[in-house]
Amino acid sequence: SFRRIFGNYLTEREFGEYRYLAYAVNQFFTNGGSRCYVKRVVPSDAFYSCSEEKAPVIFYAKEAGEWGNKITITITESSQYKTQILEEVQSNPYRYRVKNTQGFSVGDVVFITKDEQKFYNKVVDVDDTTITMEQKFAEDIDVTIPQLIVSVSQIDIHVKYDMIEEKYEHCSLNRNSYDFIEQRLTKRSLRNMVKSLLNMKSINLTKKIKSYRKWSAG
């Protein structure tokens, strides 16, 4: 547990007089100690490493300091639920009759794909055969085109720090869902997402995305 949280033995060349913690803890137990309390201390002006601020979802390291620079996050699309749009029932609000509504819930971020471009929307109502969207997908999209598919936006999140890895599958952008990103990542050892920006116009999950640290100090 100590090595996982605080790291291993440090070299004199790189850390000098600040290298003794691991040795001290080891000797404490070697000499009969049974319970050791270790508190990590960082400067008062230390920052939390974070991912790119312009991304739809921003990740912050759970603790401040330079250690967060070693964290990498890989995000991939993993939509489980999708259905075919059969017709536009009403233009405002934007209601669509679909083949089935299984897996669709109020608050879900959804998307359709046309010419390899994704258009995002948000579900505001669901019944047996129709889904009501927050806005029109796009002015130039004919929703009656055969095989036009609407999918619930879900993502897999792979977090890595040195030899430690955590994976969260089928995370949702819906704040009301049990699989909402923040709910899934809360209280984990590596990450704690403290801010999310779900801007329909900025979401882009069409390719494999890798979010790296942005800055840190301490």
Side-chain angles (χ1 to χ4, degrees), residues 2 6 9-10 18-26 38-39:
F2 175 87
F6 297 100
Y9 297 104
L10 305 178
Y18 298 103
R19 71 185 190 280
Y20 297 113
L21 178 60
Y23 297 97
V25 172
N26 176 269
V38 180
K39 176 63 178 178

Side-chain angles (χ1 to χ4, degrees), residues 77-81 104 108-111 118 120-121 150-155 170-174 181 203-205:
E77 187 180 285
S78 62
S79 302
Q80 287 181 298
Y81 304 107
F104 288 79
D108 280 344
V109 175
V110 299
F111 64 90
K118 284 184 168 57
Y120 287 86
N121 216 323
V150 58
S151 304
V152 177
S153 186
Q154 294 174 295
I155 57 177
H170 307 303
C171 295
S172 173
L173 301 179
N174 184 348
I181 299 174
I203 291 178
N204 180 10
L205 301 173

